[in-house]
Amino acid sequence: MTFPYFTISGGVESQGPSRPWHGEIVTACAGALRFQLPDGARTATLTVEAFSSPPGCVAADFDDVVEVGYRSATGEPSLLDWAQRPLCVLGPLLTGPGDYRVRYHVREVRFPHGAELRPPGVDVLLRIWPDVPGEPVAVKITSDWARCWHPARS
């Protein structure tokens, strides 16, 4: 990815206010969830895991973790790049259309000393499971870029 976000779209409906949530590393609006990436990230490795119930927490392995709820109208959301071009279909989700939670984990890739010429990157883990959508939760905020989005968690 060359721009600092990606989107899950297609059959995703926002929960709560009809306007986007501002000031978060995950924002939601009608039909989409947008995931910010750290400024300057030139590459992102994305892993998506689906569960039938809330998964265990792996926040210790990541710099920042945010959890949000959403409703999937079709049960088959797609991953889009910054220009809204489809990258792949994520579904079908385990229980089809309905309410879900997604936990967004981000960590900056740390290259060994002397490898400064490699482009900066991030590892991203999305964990998705059926659940009552509820409010967004900042589980862990430690990086400087995420503190800008979540100043109360500093």
Side-chain angles (χ1 to χ4, degrees):
M1 293 180 197
T2 59
F3 284 80
Y5 63 88
F6 64 95
T7 303
I8 291 180
S9 186
V12 175
E13 299 171 359
S14 67
Q15 296 296 294
S18 60
R19 66 193 190 300
W21 301 320
H22 293 285
E24 308 278 340
I25 62 174
V26 179
T27 55
C29 60
L33 293 173
R34 188 171 92 175
F35 300 88
Q36 288 294 133
L37 294 169
D39 296 335
R42 300 278 310 241
T43 63
T45 302
L46 173 65
T47 302
V48 179
E49 299 175 342
F51 295 85
S52 58
S53 61
C57 187
V58 294
D61 298 335
F62 291 87
D63 301 324
D64 306 293
V65 180
V66 175
E67 187 176 301
V68 298
Y70 71 96
R71 175 169 292 138
S72 175
T74 65
E76 295 189 26
S78 296
L79 180 67
L80 308 175
D81 69 7
W82 63 273
Q84 303 302 297
R85 291 182 300 238
L87 297 172
C88 67
V89 175
L90 296 179
L93 296 173
L94 292 178
T95 58
D99 294 336
Y100 289 87
R101 296 287 292 172
V102 60
R103 197 174 295 142
Y104 176 52
H105 306 71
V106 182
R107 73 173 154 232
E108 292 189 56
V109 176
R110 293 164 180 87
F111 296 110
H113 181 69
E116 294 84 12
L117 298 178
R118 294 182 67 181
V122 293
D123 288 330
V124 174
L125 171 63
L126 291 179
R127 290 182 148 191
I128 302 170
W129 66 95
D131 204 344
V132 177
E135 294 296 316
V137 176
V139 176
K140 178 182 181 183
I141 302 296
T142 62
S143 70
D144 289 339
W145 77 272
R147 283 189 194 107
C148 290
W149 297 96
H150 297 270
R153 296 287 302 196
S154 297

